[in-house]
Structures are given as C-alpha cells and as structure tokens.
Amino acid sequence: MKVDTSKCNYCGACVGSCPVNCIFLDETRIVIDENSCTKCGFCIRVCPMGAISAEWFE
Ligand code: SF4
Ligand code: SF4
C-alpha cells in the first residue's frame, strides 16, 4: 500500500476505518502495518484526498 504524502492532510479518517487497527498516524506520516492488513480496502475508500493506493485495489 502507498500513502501519497503530498495529498494526505492527516485527517485521521483512514485510521478509524481500519477494522484491524493497523494504520497509525505518527507526527509526520501515516504508517500502515502491511503484515496485519487484510486488504479490505476501507481505508482507500474512506480517504477524502485519494491519498492511499494499492496495486490490488481497483
Ligand atoms: S485495506 Fe483494510 S485492513 Fe488494510 S490498512 Fe486499509 S482498512 Fe486496514
Ligand atoms: S484518510 Fe487520507 S488524508 Fe486522511 S489521514 Fe488517511 S491518508 Fe491522510
């Protein structure tokens, strides 16, 4: 998964959307724990800035 830091406004919506709590907002960036991610795609859909992408998501 990729987070485009030039688009992200640190709203935190993706953090709250993740059912397995594997997205973390640190002081300067979004961190996604890829090992815990179930590829549900919720974070990608919820992001108002279109900042999250993944090659498996269409
Ligand atoms: S795709 Fe789903 S499980 Fe993976 S980081 Fe996004 S919300 Fe969490
Ligand atoms: S939902 Fe999008 S804009 Fe908001 S913190 Fe997550 S990646 Fe950044």
Side-chain angles (χ1 to χ4, degrees):
M1 309 204 48
K2 286 193 193 135
V3 179
D4 183 339
T5 51
S6 70
K7 291 182 182 168
C8 175
N9 65 5
Y10 304 100
C11 69
C14 55
V15 177
S17 79
C18 181
V20 295
N21 296 317
C22 71
I23 308 179
F24 305 92
L25 188 59
D26 97 8
E27 269 141 51
T28 54
R29 66 199 177 109
I30 294 289
V31 180
I32 299 177
D33 175 2
E34 304 262 1
N35 293 323
S36 301
C37 174
T38 61
K39 300 188 175 178
C40 69
F42 290 165
C43 59
I44 297 172
R45 286 195 194 91
V46 83
C47 178
M49 306 304 288
I52 308 178
S53 61
E55 60 273 357
W56 45 261
F57 185 83
E58 299 185 4

